[in-house]
Amino acid sequence: MTKLPSAFLLLVLLFGCTALEQSLVPEGGKSASVPPAAGLQELQALAESFGNELTLPVFENSPEELTASLDRTLKEADRRLNKMAWQEPASATFENTILVMDDVVHLVQTMSNRLYLTLESHGRAEMREAAGRELQRLQAWEVKTRYREDIFMACRAFDELYVRARRPQLRGENLKLYRETMRDFKRDGLHLNAGDRDRLEALQNELNQLAQSFDENITDAVTVTYYSEEELEGVPDSFLRGARQEDGKIQVRATVVTDYLAVMENAVNEDVRRRLKELRYRIVQAENGPILDRMLAVRDEIAEILGYGSWADYRIEPKMAGTAANAVSFLERFVDDLDPKFDQEVEAMRQLKAEETGNPEAELAIWDFRYYMNQLRKQQYQVDTEALRVYFQYERVLAGLFDVYEQIFGLEFLDLPNPQEWAPGVSLHACLDAESGEPLGLFYLDMFPREGKYNHFAQFDVIGGKKLDRNRYQRPVAALLCNFTPANEEQPSLLSHSEVETLFHEFGHLLHTVLTRSSYARFSGANVPRDFVEAPSQTLENWCWDEEVLHRFAVDYRNPSKRIDGEVLERMRQADLATKGTYYRRQLALALSDLRMHLRGRNKNAMTIANQTFEEVFMAVPEDSHFSAYWGHLTGYDAGYYGYAWADAIAADLATLFERAPKGYLDPEAGRRLRREIYEQGDSRDVSTSIRRCLGRDPSHEAFVKSLGIQPR
Ligand SMILES: [Zn+2]
């Protein structure tokens, strides 16, 4: 992990610097004069020799600095855009139009990345608040700029000259950049006549307002109910303790997922489960039901004005699936593939219910499946997942991850002193190519919860990769923001197996960013279609189930000679597999509901569409309930839910590369292929081409279906 590649060692010797391990006290106060950390400077000099720019961002230290930075950025962006907009149309070239757009994207993204990171993780509340304000200002600028007609005209001037063959042919990444930049203008309706554009603007404003109300109703919703302790038989004590009221009743918030699941997965009493399900499926139904129907109508009209067959077609156009029809047929085929497995699982759960209730005719209802999935796992597979934590001490897991990824991807990871911690506990690292010693990028790790910090797990871009000119490349900087189980007075940080999976997954996104070789900001790193972006990271989760991989780091922290038991893992895997059909049929019901709502149609009723789809693909929902009124994905991820299953299918296919390799998940040949054909490419070529090159064949769904324990048809 901290080995020095030979070229790097040479430079260190030349500079006579041995300070790599020393930590540097941050200067604080003035952000403009951050001293490069010892070690970083040498790395930067080394990067230089490869034609690479390796820079750390300079984080602002006060709200005033944030404002000033954004002012500077927007002024510079406007200057470049104005210059382009005002130039003579006949002089339009690829470089002075399309390329300028990408330069501005990179400039503005670098600023917005820093603002997002500050908003989500800065140690001081005033900085987080200021970043939120500046982000709003930036978004307003983006909306205004997106609809600037003079910018469109400048790019169209190039487009016309190009189409009339007055400009040199474009190839590869340049051609893709040109096509997609022009497509964006069309997607925004800049090509329309004035009347249509006015109508479009009015509809878009209405849609924004509807979406905002829809989201606010969801966020503000508080639905609380109370049960007696007897009613909640089976629900874990840990939950009851925290939810017990003064009068002894147990409070369950239907709007809080952990509360909801604690009851749905554990409550023995069917009536309790049914009542809670009905409650949850009716949250904000009265408020959001009509809003959703109106949103669907407005989206239809926007799609029509823009010349698309449906809103789903409009949304899916820039993604891998390309059209709504492709996405729908993928889902419908998968529904069929799952038929026998889903039926078997439902029957197994129904039998459990029959035994438990003493009613041989018992039927499995939608409020039962979570409970019986849980029972099935407990009874048949007896896995105590909590007991596995002793094998996953955070520091060992991270070292193991570095070790494994170094080996398969041909990389070196170095620890560096962090010259400017924006919050306590943030560490800095470098990623190098092991063979050549080329520094590829830098990354921050911010792994444990902290007050005011982002509370999920995600990779954040800090500086995106981009070709700066013919001979120089800006190497990327990324950050991982996670919330792993922290250490306490009694023990170090011990992760659950699912946290280990998350770490391997999120680090995959980071590699996607850091390893990029794309020329343009638009295509670099993980800026790939949304229905693909999760696939490589999902593939990497397989590493956490492989005994050979785990044996490299999964040892009992109290007695490191004791390794994790492979048999326990196998049981966990079987337990997971035992209800995968149910899991995916529900996912497919959601995905199909979402797509069907967004296909063209008159007077669509979201409730009818979603409820009928659920009955057809999964299970009937409680009568007159409207779960999609409380479904946040419908704003922002609309017509996109299919992407989860779509990416899972690709991930399973990519995993075959390792499954069939001589050294399995530790195979360096397979790893280097994934690095070269997927990670380094980003979106610089069609991702389906990248997948094909990586696999050396056409992609197929066979691996996915097989991975679920189903024989492909
Ligand atoms: Zn992810």
Side-chain angles (χ1 to χ4, degrees):
M1 176 176 72
T2 49
K3 278 176 302 190
L4 295 172
S6 51
F8 181 69
L9 189 63
L10 186 68
L11 266 161
V12 170
L13 290 174
L14 278 176
F15 293 156
C17 175
T18 52
L20 197 70
E21 302 299 328
Q22 286 174 17
S23 82
L24 205 86
V25 181
E27 249 193 9
K30 272 186 277 169
S31 68
S33 60
V34 177
L40 179 60
Q41 217 168 15
E42 289 78 5
L43 217 49
Q44 284 169 329
L46 181 60
E48 190 99 5
S49 70
F50 285 91
N52 285 339
E53 192 95 36
L54 192 73
T55 25
L56 270 188
V58 177
F59 288 99
E60 289 78 2
N61 262 326
S62 68
E64 294 72 32
E65 280 183 18
L66 282 175
T67 306
S69 289
L70 181 59
D71 282 344
R72 255 196 320 276
T73 303
L74 297 186
K75 199 173 157 198
E76 175 60 14
D78 281 335
R79 189 190 65 79
R80 293 190 202 180
L81 290 170
N82 290 341
K83 189 178 165 205
M84 172 180 79
W86 299 338
Q87 73 202 359
E88 198 51 50
S91 68
T93 62
F94 175 76
E95 288 75 17
N96 69 21
T97 58
I98 308 296
L99 205 52
V100 171
M101 296 292 284
D102 194 67
D103 291 344
V104 170
V105 164
H106 191 254
L107 176 76
V108 174
Q109 260 178 6
T110 306
M111 181 73 224
S112 80
N113 290 344
R114 222 161 52 239
L115 286 174
Y116 273 113
L117 200 62
T118 305
L119 171 75
E120 299 291 6
S121 74
H122 203 283
R124 300 200 324 261
E126 56 154 3
M127 288 298 284
R128 298 194 296 271
E129 282 155 20
R133 281 195 304 275
E134 298 304 328
L135 267 171
Q136 278 182 0
R137 200 153 68 87
L138 175 59
Q139 277 152 6
W141 178 88
E142 275 173 351
V143 170
K144 195 184 75 196
T145 307
R146 212 171 122 183
Y147 294 104
R148 266 180 66 175
E149 200 171 351
D150 55 352
I151 292 175
F152 168 58
M153 296 308 279
C155 290
R156 198 165 73 171
F158 169 71
D159 183 47
E160 282 167 357
L161 291 168
Y162 179 76
V163 170
R164 280 189 273 138
R166 301 264 172 86
R167 291 289 177 269
Q169 279 299 306
L170 299 172
R171 273 176 231 293
E173 203 175 345
N174 289 354
L175 181 62
K176 194 165 185 282
L177 184 70
Y178 151 69
R179 282 190 179 147
E180 294 187 10
T181 305
M182 295 314 295
R183 189 185 67 193
D184 283 352
F185 290 121
K186 183 172 165 273
R187 289 176 60 76
D188 288 338
L190 282 147
H191 62 298
L192 298 173
N193 65 43
D196 280 346
R197 274 178 68 173
D198 287 348
R199 178 79 193 124
L200 188 67
E201 198 185 328
L203 287 166
Q204 234 131 24
N205 285 334
E206 187 185 351
L207 182 60
N208 291 344
Q209 273 168 14
L210 288 165
Q212 200 184 336
S213 308
F214 187 84
D215 290 344
E216 277 170 12
N217 288 337
I218 289 178
T219 313
D220 297 346
V222 181
T223 304
V224 179
T225 183
Y226 297 89
Y227 298 97
S228 69
E229 194 139 355
E230 297 72 55
E231 282 179 305
L232 292 186
E233 184 196 341
V235 177
D237 279 342
S238 54
F239 172 77
L240 299 177
R241 259 200 308 278
R244 195 174 286 120
Q245 306 296 295
E246 277 181 11
D247 61 1
K249 288 273 186 191
I250 306 296
Q251 175 185 274
V252 176
R253 297 160 297 178
T255 36
V256 174
V257 178
T258 44
D259 283 22
Y260 173 70
L261 290 182
V263 175
M264 295 309 289
E265 289 177 353
N266 299 292
V268 177
N269 186 330
E270 178 178 355
D271 195 49
V272 166
R273 298 196 304 266
R274 182 183 56 75
R275 272 153 48 205
L276 185 59
K277 187 77 166 185
E278 287 178 353
L279 199 61
R280 185 163 166 99
Y281 272 26
R282 294 201 169 107
I283 299 170
V284 296
Q285 172 167 354
E287 298 88 337
N288 272 357
I291 294 179
L292 180 54
D293 287 342
R294 179 64 196 150
M295 270 203 293
L296 299 187
V298 172
R299 285 170 175 167
D300 264 5
E301 205 177 333
I302 292 176
E304 191 171 345
I305 294 174
L306 288 172
Y308 290 86
S310 67
W311 180 259
D313 278 316
Y314 167 68
R315 292 288 280 162
I316 296 173
E317 181 190 38
K319 298 186 189 167
M320 236 192 116
T323 64
N326 281 343
V328 169
S329 79
F330 162 77
L331 295 174
E332 286 177 346
R333 190 186 147 180
F334 191 20
V335 168
D336 288 346
D337 284 336
L338 283 169
D339 252 341
K341 181 164 168 62
F342 179 57
D343 289 349
Q344 263 169 27
E345 289 177 15
V346 168
E347 179 52 23
M349 290 189 274
R350 198 200 65 78
Q351 279 177 17
L352 266 186
K353 186 176 177 181
E355 280 164 34
E356 206 182 275
T357 57
N359 171 14
E361 306 298 313
E363 284 189 30
L364 196 78
I366 197 164
W367 47 83
D368 290 327
F369 81 92
R370 288 188 192 279
Y371 173 75
Y372 288 105
M373 270 169 90
N374 193 19
Q375 294 303 310
L376 208 63
R377 292 168 73 110
K378 276 197 199 156
Q379 293 181 11
Q380 299 191 347
Y381 303 101
Q382 293 151 4
V383 177
D384 180 4
T385 49
E386 282 301 297
L388 291 179
R389 282 184 188 265
V390 294
Y391 296 100
F392 299 123
Q393 185 193 341
Y394 166 75
E395 289 79 7
R396 280 183 199 277
V397 174
L398 184 68
L401 174 144
F402 278 176
D403 178 40
V404 169
Y405 286 171
E406 279 181 344
Q407 179 181 338
I408 59 174
F409 295 123
L411 301 171
E412 297 272 7
F413 296 111
L414 300 178
D415 298 340
L416 293 174
N418 185 359
Q420 194 192 13
E421 277 190 358
W422 66 88
V426 182
S427 59
L428 176 66
H429 310 262
C431 173
L432 295 87
D433 178 70
E435 218 167 284
S436 65
E438 178 187 5
L440 297 172
L442 299 166
F443 58 94
Y444 297 100
L445 297 181
D446 181 359
M447 305 303 250
F448 297 101
R450 189 171 59 236
E451 206 194 308
K453 183 180 141 179
Y454 176 75
N455 60 7
H456 297 282
F457 298 77
Q459 192 257 183
F460 285 67
D461 287 0
V462 183
I463 298 177
K466 178 172 161 70
K467 204 168 176 178
L468 298 173
D469 57 45
R470 203 175 292 256
N471 304 314
R472 296 191 67 71
Y473 193 94
Q474 172 68 56
R475 293 308 313 171
V477 182
L480 273 196
L481 263 57
C482 297
N483 288 277
F484 291 115
T485 306
N488 59 34
E489 277 140 35
E490 283 134 43
Q491 57 192 36
S493 160
L494 299 176
L495 309 185
S496 67
H497 183 264
S498 106
E499 283 178 303
V500 177
E501 264 190 316
T502 302
L503 178 60
F504 274 72
H505 175 110
E506 294 304 333
F507 206 87
H509 290 310
L510 188 138
L511 288 176
H512 212 156
T513 300
V514 167
L515 299 180
T516 197
R517 298 275 185 196
S518 306
S519 299
Y520 301 121
R522 184 185 177 109
F523 301 140
S524 86
N527 286 321
V528 293
R530 210 159 162 183
D531 52 2
F532 174 68
V533 70
E534 293 301 328
S537 279
Q538 299 283 51
T539 304
L540 294 183
E541 289 182 14
N542 286 301
W543 273 247
C544 310
W545 294 95
D546 186 80
E547 223 178 314
E548 216 189 322
V549 172
L550 287 175
H551 277 171
R552 299 175 77 140
F553 60 85
V555 294
D556 190 329
Y557 79 102
R558 299 159 303 185
N559 174 12
S561 66
K562 208 174 137 200
R563 287 163 155 194
I564 194 163
D565 181 1
E567 200 251 336
V568 175
L569 279 168
E570 188 48 33
R571 262 189 291 144
M572 276 168 70
R573 199 203 266 281
Q574 291 304 326
D576 192 43
L577 209 55
T579 53
K580 262 283 168 12
T582 309
Y583 166 80
Y584 272 115
R585 280 291 278 256
R586 181 174 169 276
Q587 286 293 91
L588 292 172
L590 289 167
L592 273 169
S593 300
D594 168 37
L595 279 181
R596 287 174 180 172
M597 279 182 211
H598 292 108
L599 295 175
R600 180 67 60 85
R602 295 237 167 267
N603 300 322
K604 283 185 290 190
N605 181 290
M607 180 169 137
T608 310
I609 295 172
N611 291 2
Q612 279 176 358
T613 304
F614 254 64
E615 188 163 1
E616 173 198 324
V617 178
F618 189 55
M619 295 175 191
V621 299
E623 218 171 304
D624 296 325
S625 67
H626 190 356
F627 73 88
S628 47
Y630 185 61
W631 187 13
H633 280 79
L634 293 177
T635 54
Y637 211 50
D638 40 294
Y641 202 90
Y642 79 91
Y644 292 115
W646 181 279
D648 283 353
I650 298 166
D653 212 10
L654 288 176
T656 60
L657 194 63
F658 293 89
E659 285 156 10
R660 290 170 195 165
K663 292 186 181 156
Y665 284 108
L666 293 170
D667 194 87
E669 264 320 298
R672 277 160 180 79
R673 255 184 117 113
L674 187 65
R675 172 179 165 188
R676 194 174 60 237
E677 304 296 349
I678 302 280
Y679 286 139
E680 291 186 359
Q681 301 298 329
D683 199 26
S684 64
R685 66 181 179 205
D686 210 11
V687 284
S688 52
T689 305
S690 295
I691 295 168
R692 208 166 282 125
R693 295 259 178 94
C694 186
L695 292 170
R697 59 166 167 81
D698 281 337
S700 126
H701 285 178
E702 206 182 295
F704 185 38
V705 173
K706 268 192 185 160
S707 75
L708 302 173
I710 299 169
Q711 271 315 308
R713 285 176 296 168

